[in-house]
Amino acid sequence: MGERFRTRALVVGRALARRAMPRRGDGAIRRVLVAHNLLLGDTVMLTPLVAKLRAAHPDAEITLLATPSAVPLYAGRPYGVRALPFAPASSATTRALLREPPQDLAIVAGDNRYSWLAAAMGAPHIVAHDGARNWRRDWFVDERRAYASTPGAWGDMVAALVDGPEPAPYARGDWPAPPAAPFALPASPYAVLHVGASTPLKRWEPARWRELALALAARGLRVAWSAGRGEEALVAACDPEARFESFAGRLDLAQLWRLFAHASLVVSPDTGAAHVARAAWAPTVVLFGPGSSTVVGAGRFWRDTPWRAVTVEPFPCRDQQVLFGRHVEWVRRCGRSTRECAEPRCMQAIGIREVLAAVDSLQAGGTPPALEGSRNT
């Protein structure tokens, strides 16, 4: 019996048993659960939802599920949230969640199958987005809300699952820096070039990373490479002569936050590290290939952060209109696999000139200039 099967058996049995019991209580919201199984970047994008929940329920205990590696980022309790580890491949995390006191309200983000977990944790009212293709995933959803009919950031759309005024825009210090094991930072001023990504289709060409590193060094910035564990070879391809310091594979997420927070500049593909940099208030330029700079962009909540997106828009094969398994008319993104797409032409179309223009705009604090064949947003 595999761990995922054990997790499913625990959740299904408890969910059915809990919902068969009479609902009790006075209707007060004392405990709120945000249930999901999202990747790092998508989890950070739930911050507008957490901020809105805190404003709506100032005295409630708000619990956010997160992958175990991401939980330390929440040690400072941003917006008073408590992060608990959850991984379907670890039934121990599920057992721990089922020992929690019953929840009074649950918000499900992304895949509605996690409404079953919310029900198993005792939530009598579960809210999620409408449009799930599998009716079984909606079995325990009590209230379904449609995605926005006009373009916007996913984080803002998730926050709309909660009634009330929009949360105040994110400000520096709203997310306390997590404690991190000590390590030596580069001498300031420095730029971090994060070259890793969740898929090869989001990776920029090594030659362009190398050219960017040299250009930034010529501007007086020390350059530091960054990538996740197992991605050290990506840095070696970008810097075969090892001219610049590399942190690839050396840092956990709390340490990565510290590296970003002290940087004068971070450049990254559209991946989880870019969202950590934004939360850490690091001046960040993000390269968008298959992803949507609208869906993943600053939106209303993150609008004051020092952040720029570089993307070629429109791009012919960025044409899919699916967001977390739902058809959304205005969405234009690409979720193709490497079997379907031989090379990331959308990333290859981003040039050094566009990236340096975004860096200049970021440092000047103004609106990015319009560039032929591209759009910085």
Side-chain angles (χ1 to χ4, degrees):
M1 182 185 298
E3 282 292 286
R4 289 183 179 274
F5 182 86
R6 291 188 180 94
T7 293
R8 190 176 300 114
L10 287 167
V11 168
V12 169
R14 182 66 67 86
L16 293 172
R18 278 279 175 87
R19 279 299 175 100
M21 297 170 59
R23 299 190 184 188
R24 301 175 180 175
D26 56 9
I29 304 298
R30 299 182 180 89
R31 297 185 182 89
V32 181
L33 172 70
V34 180
H36 66 92
N37 181 38
L38 297 168
L39 298 175
L40 170 62
D42 297 324
T43 302
V44 175
M45 281 196 287
L46 296 177
T47 308
L49 169 64
V50 172
K52 193 172 181 180
L53 282 170
R54 175 53 63 211
H57 306 286
D59 299 320
E61 179 181 76
I62 300 174
T63 298
L64 171 74
L65 305 188
T67 59
S69 63
V71 168
L73 290 178
Y74 293 86
R77 303 285 296 266
Y79 299 97
V81 72
R82 181 180 66 138
L84 293 181
F86 171 60
S90 170
S91 61
T93 62
T94 304
R95 289 191 180 92
L97 293 176
L98 297 181
R99 290 194 292 268
E100 288 286 309
Q103 306 296 306
D104 299 308
L105 170 67
I107 310 297
V108 177
D111 192 333
N112 285 10
R113 77 177 68 188
Y114 297 102
S115 62
W116 285 72
L117 177 59
M121 293 179 67
H125 190 75
I126 300 172
V127 185
H129 278 124
D130 201 1
R133 296 179 178 179
N134 187 330
W135 62 269
R136 295 180 183 86
R137 298 181 182 185
D138 277 348
W139 193 293
F140 290 107
V141 177
D142 300 289
E143 184 178 350
R144 301 173 185 84
R145 300 192 179 189
Y147 272 131
S149 59
T150 55
W154 185 70
D156 294 333
M157 290 189 281
V158 174
L161 290 171
V162 177
D163 291 330
E166 288 195 349
Y170 186 77
R172 188 170 197 165
D174 281 350
W175 191 321
F183 68 99
L185 291 169
S188 294
Y190 66 88
V192 180
L193 305 185
H194 184 88
V195 303
S198 55
T199 167
L201 299 178
K202 289 187 176 184
R203 293 174 187 164
W204 209 27
E205 294 172 293
R208 295 192 179 177
W209 280 119
R210 183 161 56 250
E211 185 178 353
L212 177 62
L214 294 172
L216 295 176
R219 294 181 174 200
L221 290 172
R222 291 181 180 269
V223 173
W225 299 108
S226 172
R229 290 183 174 88
E231 295 181 324
E232 295 85 351
L234 298 178
V235 171
C238 297
D239 188 9
E241 297 175 351
R243 295 186 182 186
F244 306 111
E245 185 176 10
S246 174
F247 290 88
R250 293 169 46 191
L251 306 180
D252 60 28
L253 287 177
Q255 291 173 312
L256 187 66
W257 176 295
R258 182 168 180 261
L259 179 68
F260 288 163
H262 291 272
S264 298
L265 173 69
V266 176
V267 182
S268 170
D270 164 31
T271 193
H275 296 279
V276 173
R278 181 159 61 186
W281 206 267
T284 306
V285 172
V286 184
L287 314 183
F288 281 88
S292 166
S293 62
T294 299
V295 173
V296 186
R300 297 185 298 275
F301 181 75
W302 302 98
R303 64 178 181 258
D304 295 333
T305 56
W307 190 87
R308 294 287 185 270
V310 181
T311 185
V312 177
E313 188 70 44
F315 203 83
C317 53
R318 193 189 295 122
D319 58 358
Q320 295 177 326
Q321 297 177 286
V322 177
L323 188 60
F324 290 103
R326 300 160 173 89
H327 178 83
V328 183
E329 187 65 31
W330 55 264
V331 166
R332 297 292 184 275
R333 58 186 297 273
C334 174
R336 294 176 176 88
S337 68
T338 52
R339 293 190 302 272
E340 300 168 285
C341 180
E343 56 181 354
R345 294 186 295 112
C346 51
M347 289 296 292
Q348 294 168 0
I350 299 173
I352 294 294
R353 181 173 67 92
E354 289 88 347
V355 177
L356 290 176
V359 171
D360 291 339
S361 150
L362 185 62
Q363 294 178 338
T367 301
L371 296 172
E372 181 181 357
S374 70
R375 183 180 70 189
N376 299 327
T377 57

